[in-house]
Amino acid sequence: MTTALTAAPTTNLTTAQAASRLGEFTVVDVRTPGEYAGGHLPGAHNVPLDRLDEASDALAAAAARGPLLLVCASGNRSAKGCARLAARNVEASTLDGGTGAWAAAGHPVERPAGARTPWPMDRQVRLAAGSLVAAGFVAGRFWRPAHWLSGAIGAGLVFSGVTNTCGMAAALARLPHNRPAGDAVPFEETLARLAAGCGCGGCSRGW
């Protein structure tokens, strides 16, 4: 008889709950490196959502030592990350409201000196999608086939909503403004720290 695997549970934490237990967690920020550099929870490790599968072994090792807390800008991406880890039977919690709610509640954030703060990815997606739709509409007044651009973006947004994925966000994440300047921790080093139990996710070097 085959026993079905049960997905690991996911817990949603408020900022107050997360702040009171922050020292217990391995904090993992699933935003882009640029967003992370613009301000993150103290000690957070940066594992972008699109690289979460690469980090699954290191995250499983970290979860075996203690609880994981996934964080993003608003809580949407971290919830997706928790679901993906749960499918691998790795338990993780997500921070409701993300770093936005954390900072609004007056809790500290860490950022490198002089680091710029890019817009949250959902805001970047809205701007890019809206601009392309508007451009297609205006251009279509002079060249009718340009209306297909607006239609394609609309269809893409419908597909994004149905599948809970976002190809535009993945593309925007690769742009220079979403990548940190200066002494960022390499992704491979972040994985090594997670696997080894280093708690200095926000430091630039040194264990």
Side-chain angles (χ1 to χ4, degrees):
M1 180 177 178
T2 302
T3 302
L5 292 176
T6 302
T10 297
T11 303
N12 289 55
L13 298 181
T14 65
T15 54
Q17 290 171 326
S20 67
R21 299 176 51 200
L22 191 62
E24 302 174 22
F25 291 105
T26 296
V27 182
V28 178
D29 193 315
V30 299
R31 296 176 298 163
T32 65
E35 291 176 284
Y36 170 84
H40 52 266
L41 269 66
H45 300 266
N46 186 211
V47 179
L49 185 62
D50 61 357
R51 305 194 71 176
L52 199 68
D53 291 339
E54 297 176 58
S56 59
D57 289 343
L59 291 170
R65 294 189 303 270
L68 292 179
L69 176 64
L70 268 56
V71 183
C72 66
S74 63
N76 291 333
R77 279 174 283 177
S78 58
K80 292 178 185 178
C82 285
R84 285 164 62 175
L85 290 178
R88 294 175 177 268
N89 206 32
V90 177
E91 183 176 351
S93 299
T94 179
L95 177 63
D96 283 338
T99 53
W102 177 270
H107 299 302
V109 294
E110 295 178 344
R111 59 172 58 87
R116 62 182 183 275
T117 304
W119 286 358
M121 186 54 64
D122 60 342
R123 186 179 179 188
Q124 294 185 44
V125 168
R126 293 197 303 271
L127 175 65
S131 298
L132 289 171
V133 169
F137 174 78
V138 173
R141 300 186 62 184
F142 304 97
W143 187 56
R144 291 187 63 83
H147 283 307
W148 284 103
L149 174 61
S150 299
I153 297 300
L157 292 174
V158 171
F159 178 80
S160 176
V162 170
T163 62
N164 202 27
T165 61
C166 188
M168 184 175 289
L172 290 172
R174 292 176 169 82
L175 295 180
H177 68 272
N178 281 318
R179 297 190 175 277
D183 194 24
V185 178
F187 182 69
E188 293 73 16
E189 187 173 322
T190 296
L191 298 189
R193 292 178 178 182
L194 284 167
C198 173
C200 54
C203 64
S204 59
R205 289 294 182 271
W207 297 57

